[in-house]
Amino acid sequence: EKGNYRHFMQKEIYEQPTVVAQTLNSYVRQADESVALPQIDFDLSAIKRITIVACGTSFYAGMVAKYWFETFARVPVDIDVASEFRYREPVLEEGGLAIFISQSGETADTLAALRHCKENGQTIATVVNVPTSSMAREADLILPTHAGPEIGVASTKAFTCQLAVLAALAAHLAVAKGKMNRAEEQEVVRHLIEAPAALNAALDHDDDIAAMAPLIAPARDVLYLGRGPDYPLALEGALKLKEISYIHAEGYASGEMKHGPIALIDEEVPVIVLAPSGPLFEKTVSNMEEVRARGGQVVLISDAKGLAEAGDGCIATIEMPDVHPLIAPLVYAVPVQLLAYHVAVVKGTDVDQPRNLAKSVTVE
Ligand code: M6R
């Protein structure tokens, strides 16, 4: 079943251009460049607040989506990890939409949070990869990701498909609320349908990433930095590395470095910086300089323009295609997945079945 691939995780990373295209087929109409969601039988324009709840990688997809819901639709978003959500007595007002994101649709904490929201009058939407799952059955609106079965314990293709669905949902909500006009909707759709080709272009750098994995494999700690919608990608990169290579890793918002974690920096700590060129680039570069001034070993992941500006002095660089900021989180997922994958291969760990982890966490 793995075909020519050595591991399911590798196969699933490579499936992303295809499965993201498959998912987008159900959420956008190419002919008239419009967002096309499944039948929604409640009034989307009446949604006043969104609550997003998920765990792990699915939670990071939710963090990216918060940017989209707020910038496109101007609807305030609360987001929580499921294990914290229920016990903090969240204020759930009428007119709220609660979105649960889960590959399996069975994660116990997320399911319990869903039931809590349902009891408290929220409209329930689920973004799930398993359409027959408990979370799908209990939802008012099911938004399936069409990633196909994900076998590797480390989630990869489910994540990028979740992002595709959430971007389409955010645009749809923005249209329903009158915050996005037809031309803007078409622009969003045009960018989304560029994602599969951009994912392929990112995968083209697999060999470069494999070549630099031996630089990271001996590290005891690794930091990942990103800003804006790429901050959750830094968290995702760190989670992937922890899960399968057992290297301690942390993701940080670039600007937060100087408030503490910079104390950890020395020649032994690789710092992976995710920074597509754009309005936030200069700021991230200055955070990167702070790291380098303390002997930090920086790996910069950026596009050609960003690398030309700031790539000198890094221990390695990874070039990404030059993409619109909307799809950057999907594209930048690829290098962090591949980096974790190759480091794990160098270390000889069990990539698909890492120790202590289960694919689906059905206990609280
Ligand atoms: O099935 P779910 O999306 O609800 O799973 C949530 C997390 O358990 C999951 O994303 C976990 O963090 C992965 N192992 C990450 O690679």
Side-chain angles (χ1 to χ4, degrees):
E1 270 190 76
K2 277 181 277 201
N4 293 328
Y5 296 99
R6 209 169 140 191
H7 298 98
F8 281 108
M9 181 185 180
Q10 186 189 28
K11 173 171 177 261
E12 290 160 0
I13 291 172
Y14 269 85
E15 277 171 357
Q16 291 179 109
T18 311
V19 295
V20 166
Q22 214 162 276
T23 298
L24 284 170
N25 266 336
S26 307
Y27 292 91
V28 301
R29 245 192 329 260
Q30 300 216 15
D32 61 353
E33 295 177 327
S34 65
V35 180
L37 259 68
Q39 184 66 38
I40 299 184
D41 46 18
F42 54 88
D43 181 11
L44 209 55
S45 69
I47 299 297
K48 292 201 204 70
R49 177 172 281 279
I50 295 176
T51 302
I52 301 179
V53 184
C55 302
T57 290
S58 298
F59 173 71
Y60 299 143
M63 283 181 77
V64 175
K66 175 181 161 85
Y67 286 89
W68 295 334
F69 286 120
E70 295 191 335
T71 50
F72 294 162
R74 307 300 296 150
V75 175
V77 176
D78 265 342
I79 173 159
D80 250 310
V81 289
S83 54
E84 286 296 317
F85 178 73
R86 277 188 304 156
Y87 303 107
R88 72 170 169 84
E89 304 205 23
V91 180
L92 298 164
E93 285 162 25
E94 223 179 290
L97 174 70
I99 306 176
F100 301 86
I101 309 167
S102 176
Q103 188 285 129
S104 61
E106 300 296 346
T107 301
D109 286 319
T110 312
L111 185 58
L114 183 159
R115 289 175 178 156
H116 181 82
C117 284
K118 207 171 184 176
E119 282 158 18
N120 286 275
Q122 303 297 290
T123 300
I124 308 294
T126 55
V127 178
V128 287
N129 198 38
V130 181
T132 52
S133 58
S134 309
M135 276 182 230
R137 283 199 305 272
E138 298 188 26
D140 299 304
L141 173 65
I142 309 171
L143 301 167
T145 45
H146 300 286
E150 192 181 63
I151 311 293
V153 164
S155 185
T156 53
K157 62 177 181 171
F159 176 69
T160 39
C161 289
Q162 287 165 348
L163 291 177
V165 171
L166 290 161
L169 178 63
H172 192 69
L173 182 64
V175 170
K177 288 194 122 345
K179 303 284 183 199
M180 185 179 273
N181 64 32
R182 185 73 186 103
E184 290 162 337
E185 179 186 4
Q186 287 177 312
E187 204 194 320
V188 163
V189 171
R190 273 199 295 276
H191 293 309
L192 283 177
I193 58 189
E194 284 161 10
L199 290 166
N200 265 318
L203 286 166
D204 283 343
H205 293 275
D206 192 7
D207 289 346
D208 308 335
I209 299 170
M212 59 166 282
L215 294 174
I216 308 297
R220 207 187 58 176
D221 310 285
V222 176
L223 289 180
Y224 286 76
L225 303 182
R227 261 181 195 268
D230 300 296
Y231 163 44
L233 266 295
L235 298 170
E236 169 62 1
L239 178 64
K240 287 286 96 87
L241 192 72
K242 275 184 265 212
E243 281 192 294
I244 60 169
S245 76
Y246 314 142
I247 295 174
H248 167 242
E250 278 192 69
Y252 257 94
S254 316
E256 191 63 13
M257 272 296 283
K258 53 182 162 305
H259 299 286
I262 201 156
L264 298 172
I265 300 297
D266 63 18
E267 303 72 35
E268 312 281 296
V269 183
V271 180
I272 320 283
V273 179
L274 300 160
S277 61
L280 301 175
F281 185 74
E282 294 307 327
K283 292 209 175 291
T284 305
V285 168
S286 69
N287 303 134
M288 196 174 108
E289 294 310 333
E290 292 159 7
V291 168
R292 278 226 297 252
R294 287 153 185 89
Q297 308 285 300
V298 174
V299 174
L300 177 60
I301 309 182
S302 185
D303 43 44
K305 187 163 169 255
L307 295 183
E309 243 178 79
D312 287 349
C314 294
I315 55 162
T317 58
I318 305 173
E319 188 179 328
M320 289 293 102
D322 181 15
V323 293
H324 187 269
L326 174 66
I327 62 166
L330 283 86
V331 174
Y332 282 66
V334 171
V336 298
Q337 294 164 349
L338 285 173
L339 184 60
Y341 174 75
H342 289 296
V343 170
V345 169
V346 170
K347 297 196 76 171
T349 57
D350 187 344
V351 171
D352 287 331
Q353 294 280 320
R355 70 186 181 201
N356 308 343
L357 292 172
K359 181 64 184 162
S360 180
V361 184
T362 52
V363 287
E364 248 198 81

